[in-house]
Amino acid sequence: MPTFPLITHERADSVIAWRDGRSVSAARFLSDVARLSATLPGGGYMLNACNDRYRFTVGLAAALVSKKVSLLPSTHTPEMIRQLLLFAPDVFCLTDSDDCSIALPQSRFPVLSEPLDSNAQPFAVPRIDGEQLVAYVFTSGSTGVPVPHPKTWGALVRNVRTEAQLCGLNDGRHHAIIGTVPPQHMYGFESTVLLVLQSANALVAGQSFYPADICNTVRLAPRPRVLVSTPVHMRSVISAGLDIPAADLVMSATAPLSLALAEELESRFQAPLLEIYGSTETGQIAVRSPTQTQEWQLFPGVCLEQKEGVTWASGGHVERAVPMNDVIEPVGENRFLLHGRTADLINIAGKRNSLMNLNLQLNAIPGVLDGSFFMPDEVAPDGVTRLTAFVVAPGLTAATLMAALRERVDSVFLPRPLIFVEALPRNNAGKLPREALELLAAAKAPKAVALHSLRSHSRWRPTGVQSSEAPLGGRGSRMTDGEALLSIAPDHPAFRGHFPGRPIVPGVVLLDHALDAIGNLAGSDLSACQISAVKFLSPVLPGEPVRVRFETLTNGAIRFDIVSGERKVATGSVRELALG
């Protein structure tokens, strides 16, 4: 029975990771794996909830050598944890967080700071049986309930070795792999963890999410460096107006890129862009360069077969024939075109389209920061099921946006209603679970439903306030500028299930509290306001004090910055709306 090495780094001093600017050798990694595996509980299943990418990888390897199966669900919600307990009653949670709230027996990732023993045994890489079950990965829930899928070591190894070959990452150079997607997600699992282990490259330990973090992490990583990201993350980097450092390769997955965005990414990062296509069930199976072609190239050995309107993938690292949830048009023997998900196909007035294509058209409109179409299952009270679109576009009006959409799509696919929101409920892999869209559709205006009622969980006070018109005196006074100290209490309800193990303040919550503080100081009612622009540049932690600085411009708009120390967190401008 074939075996495969745990890592392909051939020397003890080969760099396998970068943490806080310091290199981690392959010998250090194997030592950390051995120490952790000796401390793991006896359960056969492990929920790897480590946020640090290096610790996650050590945890995965320790489970492998201990013959434990890693569980990698898409979320850590209480309902998901209940399902895991039914699936694997002896599951325990490996965490690197001091305040992990996951309701499972917990094993805390130990401190691994001891120096390597100079008299240790010679550098020896463990070999793993190709048939060994490594993990159950779970679908994201974007089309329904998350479903577990088993992954064996041999299939995963063949998968990522092919990826390294097609992406040019086994060219003898030592690449630093930077990820914005969590390692628990199939794409992040393959392309930021397994790819590193099986191509003798190095991972960058931190997980960057906000534009400033992403740019800073790329800038500090040694070259050649590769950014593994998603359209949502990269669109936010471009729109933030930051100085974008050069990369040597950019990889994207989870949703197709528009040609315009792909070309801008290559220009701004000064690097070629590759897109990865796959699914949780199959793993990655195809790659393309979107600025060169719309056709996808299959991984060697993988083949597609169409039966009764369904495309099946098999061969190569795909261990059994898998039905694909996408509309695929074969082009030659090993190439195809992608036309959207089968579940996304909609038929209105005898005309067909896909939500994927509609989303591409919506997000290609200048001024749209994020957007998604949604077709509800339920009919409206008048018996009609209406196509809905949610959009984040602070500088656009509904009329302007609808006019732009009318130029791109048939009028029968124009959304009714079109709902402006401050943010879409994407998970940390950039995906939109259908359940989250259903809740958003039910709420219609999520900010009005919940956020204003949660302000009791914030603390703010004026500090260093200056005014040329009046002293602080409530809403009856008008101020031209001011400053408030603000923090979001750690017990704020928004933190439940939000980035488990390392909660951060959701941007929409931070903005809501900041506007409340500004309104109280400026004597303005910003509960109804027009947001001209807002950019979130850096994360805020629970309880972290931030300063909200604002000034009233001559045109009546209020410009504001939110800063933590010398670090700018967010910036934007708003205008009070007259009511009544």
Side-chain angles (χ1 to χ4, degrees):
M1 197 168 291
T3 63
F4 299 91
L6 178 65
I7 61 176
T8 55
H9 302 70
E10 297 180 349
R11 301 197 319 270
D13 61 352
S14 296
V15 177
I16 198 171
W18 294 93
R19 299 192 74 233
D20 302 322
R22 298 181 179 181
S23 63
V24 179
S25 69
R28 167 87 267 175
F29 173 76
L30 293 180
S31 175
D32 289 347
V33 170
R35 291 174 181 172
L36 177 59
S37 62
T39 69
L40 293 179
Y45 292 88
M46 181 182 80
L47 172 65
N48 192 336
C50 292
N51 291 294
D52 179 282
R53 204 173 302 271
Y54 176 75
R55 291 173 181 163
F56 173 91
T57 307
V58 171
L60 172 73
L64 262 173
V65 299
S66 303
K67 290 184 166 51
K68 299 181 187 297
V69 178
S70 295
L71 299 183
L72 306 177
S74 54
T75 67
H76 295 156
T77 62
E79 177 57 30
M80 186 73 247
I81 299 304
R82 283 191 290 270
Q83 292 182 29
L84 286 185
L85 281 169
L86 293 174
F87 179 76
D90 64 343
V91 62
F92 66 91
C93 173
L94 177 67
T95 176
D96 57 357
S97 172
D98 292 326
D99 56 355
C100 178
S101 60
I102 296 174
L104 290 175
Q106 293 190 5
S107 176
R108 182 67 167 84
F109 195 97
V111 176
L112 301 174
S113 58
E114 299 87 344
L116 283 175
D117 184 358
S118 58
N119 297 317
Q121 295 181 354
F123 180 67
V125 176
R127 296 189 69 87
I128 309 297
D129 189 326
E131 299 298 320
Q132 181 174 328
L133 182 60
V134 176
Y136 280 97
V137 295
F138 292 73
T139 55
S140 65
S142 57
T143 59
V145 178
V147 177
H149 295 275
K151 301 294 175 181
T152 63
W153 182 240
L156 291 172
V157 167
R158 291 191 295 271
N159 183 349
V160 297
R161 287 184 179 180
T162 301
E163 177 187 16
Q165 176 186 350
L166 293 177
C167 297
L169 298 179
N170 58 355
D171 58 0
R173 298 189 298 166
H174 196 69
H175 302 80
I177 310 295
I178 305 150
T180 69
V181 285
Q184 290 86 355
H185 182 268
M186 188 62 185
Y187 171 42
F189 183 50
E190 291 172 323
S191 296
T192 70
V193 175
L194 297 174
L195 175 66
V196 167
L197 300 184
Q198 294 300 310
S199 65
N201 286 302
L203 62 85
V204 177
Q207 180 175 322
S208 303
F209 182 81
Y210 283 90
D213 295 334
I214 295 171
C215 289
N216 189 55
T217 302
V218 173
R219 185 176 294 108
L220 295 178
R223 300 187 73 168
R225 53 201 182 203
V226 180
L227 177 61
V228 178
S229 193
T230 71
V232 172
H233 289 117
M234 290 187 289
R235 192 182 297 116
S236 70
V237 169
I238 287 177
S239 64
L242 302 173
D243 180 22
I244 298 177
D248 295 279
L249 176 66
V250 177
M251 296 168 59
S252 178
T254 72
L257 291 165
S258 67
L259 178 59
L261 179 56
E263 290 176 338
E264 186 169 7
L265 286 170
E266 288 195 337
S267 173
R268 299 291 296 278
F269 281 100
Q270 305 172 49
L273 170 70
L274 291 177
E275 280 189 284
I276 300 293
Y277 170 76
S279 68
T280 302
E281 298 88 337
T282 63
Q284 52 203 356
I285 63 171
V287 65
R288 73 171 178 178
S289 175
T291 61
Q292 305 300 318
T293 179
Q294 292 300 301
E295 296 181 0
W296 295 87
Q297 177 186 343
L298 285 167
F299 279 27
V302 176
C303 60
L304 300 177
E305 183 180 4
Q306 294 187 319
K307 300 178 183 177
E308 299 178 353
V310 177
T311 301
W312 293 72
S314 62
H317 64 271
V318 182
E319 296 182 285
R320 62 189 64 83
V322 176
M324 305 300 292
N325 293 317
D326 295 303
V327 180
I328 291 173
E329 176 189 348
V331 180
E333 184 176 350
N334 62 353
R335 294 181 176 273
F336 65 90
L337 294 173
L338 182 64
H339 296 298
R341 302 182 70 84
T342 53
D344 287 350
L345 289 178
I346 53 178
N347 189 319
I348 300 177
K351 298 181 179 181
R352 299 178 66 193
N353 210 324
S354 72
L355 293 179
M356 183 191 80
N357 178 60
L358 292 175
N359 289 339
L360 279 173
Q361 300 304 325
L362 176 60
N363 284 282
I365 296 173
V368 172
L369 304 182
D370 198 6
S372 178
F373 277 79
F374 171 68
M375 178 64 85
D377 294 326
E378 298 78 14
V379 298
D382 59 3
V384 178
T385 302
R386 288 189 170 86
L387 184 63
T388 301
F390 303 103
V391 64
V392 182
L396 299 181
T397 65
T400 301
L401 186 53
M402 289 292 275
L405 265 178
R406 189 172 281 106
E407 295 181 0
R408 293 175 170 270
V409 303
D410 191 287
S411 60
V412 301
F413 297 110
L414 293 176
R416 299 175 177 87
L418 172 67
I419 301 175
F420 283 77
V421 295
E422 294 171 349
L424 292 179
R426 295 186 180 275
N427 60 25
N428 51 5
K431 290 199 170 186
L432 279 169
R434 182 171 177 82
E435 180 183 4
L437 285 176
E438 289 172 345
L439 291 173
L440 186 59
K444 297 298 191 216
K447 176 179 174 181
V449 171
L451 294 182
H452 286 286
S453 65
L454 300 179
R455 283 178 174 155
S456 61
H457 292 266
S458 70
R459 294 184 288 269
W460 71 269
R461 60 182 175 84
T463 173
V465 175
Q466 299 177 347
S467 172
S468 61
E469 294 186 18
L472 178 64
R475 291 201 181 273
S477 304
R478 280 279 177 178
M479 302 186 63
T480 58
D481 55 67
E483 178 176 291
L485 185 65
L486 172 70
S487 66
I488 310 297
D491 61 345
H492 193 290
F495 297 129
R496 297 169 189 161
H498 193 81
F499 296 93
R502 188 180 180 272
I504 62 174
V505 179
V508 64
V509 176
L510 180 65
L511 177 64
D512 188 72
H513 292 296
L515 293 180
D516 187 50
I518 293 171
N520 275 277
L521 289 176
S524 300
D525 183 5
L526 298 181
S527 60
C529 62
Q530 178 183 357
I531 302 176
S532 303
V534 62
K535 296 178 181 177
F536 297 99
L537 305 174
S538 186
V540 174
L541 302 180
E544 178 181 354
V546 297
R547 294 182 181 275
V548 182
R549 300 169 179 166
F550 68 92
E551 60 177 339
T552 303
L553 306 179
T554 56
N555 63 1
I558 298 175
R559 192 190 67 80
F560 66 91
D561 291 322
I562 305 176
V563 298
S564 176
E566 298 300 316
R567 175 171 57 91
K568 184 174 289 189
V569 171
T571 183
S573 61
V574 299
R575 183 188 299 273
E576 180 181 357
L577 292 179
L579 300 177

